[in-house]
Amino acid sequence: RVLSPAELAGWATDLAGARPAFTVLGGLELEVPLGETRASSEAARARVQLDATRERYQARVDAISAEVGALEVELDGAETQVALASQTAELAEELAEAERTRLTLGTTTPVNVVQAEQSLREAELRMLRAIVSQATTQLALEHHAGALLDRFGPSCSGSKS
């Protein structure tokens, strides 16, 4: 607001030498958009976090793919082991039967029959262990591939409610 000379006369006080004295107060408000730099730094930080998250995700995908590949190889080995253990158990069964037949014919001793029976039990145990190993590897492979969730997901989610 601009003051008229009459209004100024009421406000003015004379100084020495009849000089008028005035007091002027003023203010200036300046708004600088500080948020723009803060927003850009927050956006940059968010981009860095997003990139880091994507890299961690990709690393986990790669790790799971490697684990699945290793489990597939392990499963192939377990299947081969089951097949070989089954053949060994069949041969041990034939050997035990042959020793029992020889015992009835009197051409062998009971010790040989007991040894053949023990070999049969050990072969059957190896076969059962191979089957358990194969089943465990199969479940681990399905777990890492996400197939267990497809198979058991609906029944598990229904029991939680």
Side-chain angles (χ1 to χ4, degrees), residues 53-72:
T53 301
R54 284 181 178 154
E55 288 176 15
R56 283 193 308 271
Y57 172 78
Q58 188 59 45
R60 189 64 188 139
V61 166
D62 293 344
I64 290 172
S65 296
E67 289 173 13
V68 166
L71 285 169
E72 287 174 343

Side-chain angles (χ1 to χ4, degrees), residues 35-96:
E36 192 171 302
T37 57
R38 191 171 92 200
S40 64
S41 68
E42 287 177 3
R45 187 176 69 230
R47 280 190 296 275
V48 168
Q49 288 176 345
L50 179 62
D51 291 342
T53 301
R54 284 181 178 154
E55 288 176 15
R56 283 193 308 271
Y57 172 78
Q58 188 59 45
R60 189 64 188 139
V61 166
D62 293 344
I64 290 172
S65 296
E67 289 173 13
V68 166
L71 285 169
E72 287 174 343
V73 170
E74 188 177 337
L75 182 61
D76 289 341
E79 289 171 350
T80 303
Q81 189 176 9
V82 167
L84 292 174
S86 296
Q87 289 176 353
T88 303
E90 289 172 9
L91 292 174
E93 173 65 37
E94 290 174 13
L95 178 62

